[in-house]
Amino acid sequence: EVWGRLRKNKMAMISLAVLVIIIFSAVFADLIAPYRYDAVDIRNQFAPLSPAHWLGTDNFGRDILSRIIYGGRISLLVSLLAIAISTCVGGALGATAAYFGGRYESVVMRCLDVLMAIPALLLAISISAALGSGVVNSAIALAVAGIPSSARLMRATVLGIKDQDYVEAARATGVKNGRIILHHILPNTFAPILVDCTLRIGANILQISTLSFIGLGVQPPTPEWGSILASGRDYIRDYWPVVVFPGLAIMITLIAFNLLGDGLRDAFDPRLRR
C-alpha cells in the first residue's frame, strides 16, 4: 500500500531512480570508474572535457569523474554510518525515556537539551577537531551531533504508542518491559524513523562535505566530495570543472534524498498529501 502511494509521486520516484544510480556507482566504483581515483598524470593537468575525460582532470591530472564516483562511496559511507549510530543510540535513549518516564526521563532529556543547545555543525566540528580527521572519526562526530534529534523524535513517537490497547494488553499478560519495547513499540516507530533517516542522510552528506572542505573530515588523497571541492577552490577562476561538478554531485544527492523523504512521509501518512 505504501509503495503504491509512493509510485504515484513522480518526484519521489525520479529521486529514487537517481539515488539508485548514485549508490550503484559508489558500490561498484572499481568497475564503473574509468580511472583509479589516485591515477596521476602531470602531463595532462586541467584537460578539457573530452571522450577520454568526460569531466576533465584536476591539477594533478586525475580524472574528475572517477574521483567523484569514488568520492560518493566515502560520502555515503560516512553518512550512513553516522545515521546508524545516532539512530540506535538516540532511539534507545528516546524510547526508554518515553516508556519509563519519571526522573530517568528528566535526566536523559535535560542532557539532550544541553547537546541541542549547540548547533549540530558546530558540535560536529568540535568533536572532529578533538578526535582528529578520518572516515571513522567524522562518522562519530556527525553521529553524536545527530543523537539529540533522533532521541526527541523517538520519544515523541513512543509517547503516542505506549498507551495503546495492545501495549496495555501485553503488560496485563505479564510481558517484560524489554520485550514490550522491542516487539510491540519499536516496530510501530518504523515509519517516522525511516522518513527522518532519509532526510538526515542528505544533511549528513552536506555536513561531512563541510568538514572535509575545512580540513577536519576525510583527508586527501582519499576522495570525498568536500575534499575535492577544497583542493580545487584555488583554481576556480581558471578551471571551473574541478569545483562545479563535485558541487553538483552534492546538490543533486541532497535534493534527491530530501524529495524521497518527503515522498515517504506522504506515502506513510496519506493525510499529509496535498
Side-chain angles (χ1 to χ4, degrees):
E1 184 179 355
V2 171
W3 173 247
R5 289 196 292 266
L6 183 64
R7 288 180 58 186
K8 296 178 182 178
N9 190 324
K10 294 182 179 179
M11 294 304 299
M13 294 306 297
I14 293 174
S15 300
L16 180 60
V18 170
L19 291 175
V20 168
I21 294 173
I22 293 173
I23 294 172
F24 181 85
S25 300
V27 172
F28 298 100
D30 295 327
L31 301 176
I32 295 175
Y35 303 91
R36 288 287 302 173
Y37 70 85
D38 54 356
V40 176
D41 185 4
I42 298 298
R43 295 172 299 178
N44 203 25
Q45 292 177 300
F46 301 122
L49 280 63
S50 66
H53 300 283
W54 288 7
L55 304 184
T57 61
D58 63 8
N59 53 310
F60 291 105
R62 298 172 297 190
D63 185 67
I64 294 177
L65 175 59
S66 300
R67 289 183 60 77
I68 290 176
I69 292 175
Y70 277 99
R73 173 186 290 181
I74 302 298
S75 296
L76 289 171
L77 175 63
V78 173
S79 180
L80 291 174
L81 184 58
I83 289 292
I85 296 173
S86 63
T87 301
C88 290
V89 177
L93 291 173
T96 53
Y99 184 81
F100 294 107
R103 182 173 298 177
Y104 172 75
E105 180 185 19
S106 299
V107 172
V108 170
M109 298 313 298
R110 296 300 76 76
C111 292
L112 293 175
D113 288 342
V114 172
L115 286 179
M116 289 200 71
I118 307 173
L121 182 57
L122 181 59
L123 181 59
I125 290 174
S126 302
I127 296 173
S128 184
L131 296 179
S133 59
V135 173
V136 176
N137 289 342
S138 298
I140 293 174
L142 294 178
V144 173
I147 286 175
S149 59
S150 295
R152 292 181 71 88
L153 175 62
M154 180 63 80
R155 175 179 174 271
T157 305
V158 173
L159 283 175
I161 295 174
K162 71 173 187 176
D163 293 327
Q164 296 292 323
D165 291 341
Y166 60 87
V167 177
E168 294 292 345
R171 289 198 192 99
T173 56
V175 179
K176 294 183 179 180
N177 290 330
R179 185 175 179 83
I180 291 176
I181 293 174
L182 290 176
H183 294 276
H184 297 278
I185 293 180
L186 290 184
N188 291 284
T189 65
F190 175 77
I193 297 302
L194 177 61
V195 173
D196 178 66
C197 288
T198 304
L199 293 171
R200 288 199 295 126
I201 288 175
N204 275 2
I205 289 176
L206 183 60
Q207 289 185 347
I208 181 57
S209 298
T210 303
L211 291 178
S212 298
F213 185 82
I214 63 178
L216 293 175
V218 180
Q219 297 298 305
T222 303
E224 195 279 327
W225 291 337
S227 64
I228 297 173
L229 277 172
S231 62
R233 60 184 170 183
D234 294 333
Y235 312 100
I236 185 172
R237 292 187 178 181
D238 301 319
Y239 190 71
W240 58 268
V242 75
V243 173
V244 170
F245 291 120
L248 285 175
I250 296 173
M251 182 185 72
I252 292 172
T253 306
L254 182 61
I255 292 174
F257 272 114
N258 286 342
L259 291 177
L260 179 60
D262 289 340
L264 286 173
R265 179 198 62 190
D266 295 345
F268 278 113
D269 190 354
R271 293 172 300 176
L272 296 177
R273 297 181 62 190
R274 293 182 178 87

